[in-house]
Amino acid sequence: MSYRRDNTEDEHIPLPIETVELAIDDFFEYYDLFNINSVDELCESLHDYLYDIGIDIDFNLNNIINYYNINDLNELNNRFIASYDDDVSMDKKIQLIYKCIELMINRSTI
């Protein structure tokens, strides 16, 4: 579940998924995707960004493991390697990041 943090009363208010998706779109504008080199870095940077704008969300990392049929998230790290000079590899990296985020915010198990 996604929540908006209410700093004045320490209350969690449920958010619709559309609000979270808009915040994630803003994340892509805000963050240099070249600096994300692993699922762990993606989770950390996205969580920090969302937290800074008042959204508290628990990521469902099992969906990534199940979707890619891997045993450990580190098995995806080599797919995050891309150079600015290589448009094809950067496009693949961006698609991977989008897919990982889509899977992480999905509360249903895949």
Side-chain angles (χ1 to χ4, degrees), residues 74-93:
N74 291 332
E75 293 180 39
L76 288 179
N77 288 352
N78 64 337
R79 294 188 185 183
F80 281 89
I81 298 170
S83 169
Y84 274 128
D85 299 332
D86 185 349
D87 289 341
V88 172
S89 66
M90 278 303 288
D91 287 344
K92 286 181 182 179
K93 178 177 180 172

Side-chain angles (χ1 to χ4, degrees), residues 57-106:
I57 187 170
D58 294 324
F59 296 136
N60 186 350
L61 300 178
N62 287 328
N63 280 347
I64 297 174
I65 291 170
N66 294 338
Y67 181 84
Y68 287 104
N69 195 26
I70 56 177
N71 295 318
D72 187 271
L73 293 173
N74 291 332
E75 293 180 39
L76 288 179
N77 288 352
N78 64 337
R79 294 188 185 183
F80 281 89
I81 298 170
S83 169
Y84 274 128
D85 299 332
D86 185 349
D87 289 341
V88 172
S89 66
M90 278 303 288
D91 287 344
K92 286 181 182 179
K93 178 177 180 172
I94 291 168
Q95 290 171 355
L96 175 64
I97 290 171
Y98 267 113
K99 189 62 177 178
C100 285
I101 290 174
E102 176 186 329
L103 293 167
M104 288 187 313
I105 66 170
N106 186 346

Side-chain angles (χ1 to χ4, degrees), residues 31-47:
Y31 202 80
D32 184 0
L33 301 180
F34 184 75
N35 292 326
I36 297 174
N37 296 305
S38 68
V39 175
D40 290 337
E41 288 179 15
L42 173 60
C43 290
E44 182 180 338
S45 58
L46 181 59
H47 181 269

Side-chain angles (χ1 to χ4, degrees), residues 4-13:
R4 179 178 61 83
R5 292 183 289 95
D6 185 340
N7 292 331
T8 59
E9 298 181 20
D10 198 27
E11 180 180 347
H12 285 85
I13 302 166

Side-chain angles (χ1 to χ4, degrees), residues 2-5 15 19-27 30 42-59 101 104-105:
S2 304
Y3 296 96
R4 179 178 61 83
R5 292 183 289 95
L15 287 173
T19 303
V20 176
E21 289 172 347
L22 286 173
I24 290 169
D25 287 342
D26 289 343
F27 169 77
Y30 160 82
L42 173 60
C43 290
E44 182 180 338
S45 58
L46 181 59
H47 181 269
D48 289 349
Y49 175 77
L50 293 175
Y51 191 84
D52 286 347
I53 63 170
I55 297 175
D56 192 10
I57 187 170
D58 294 324
F59 296 136
I101 290 174
M104 288 187 313
I105 66 170

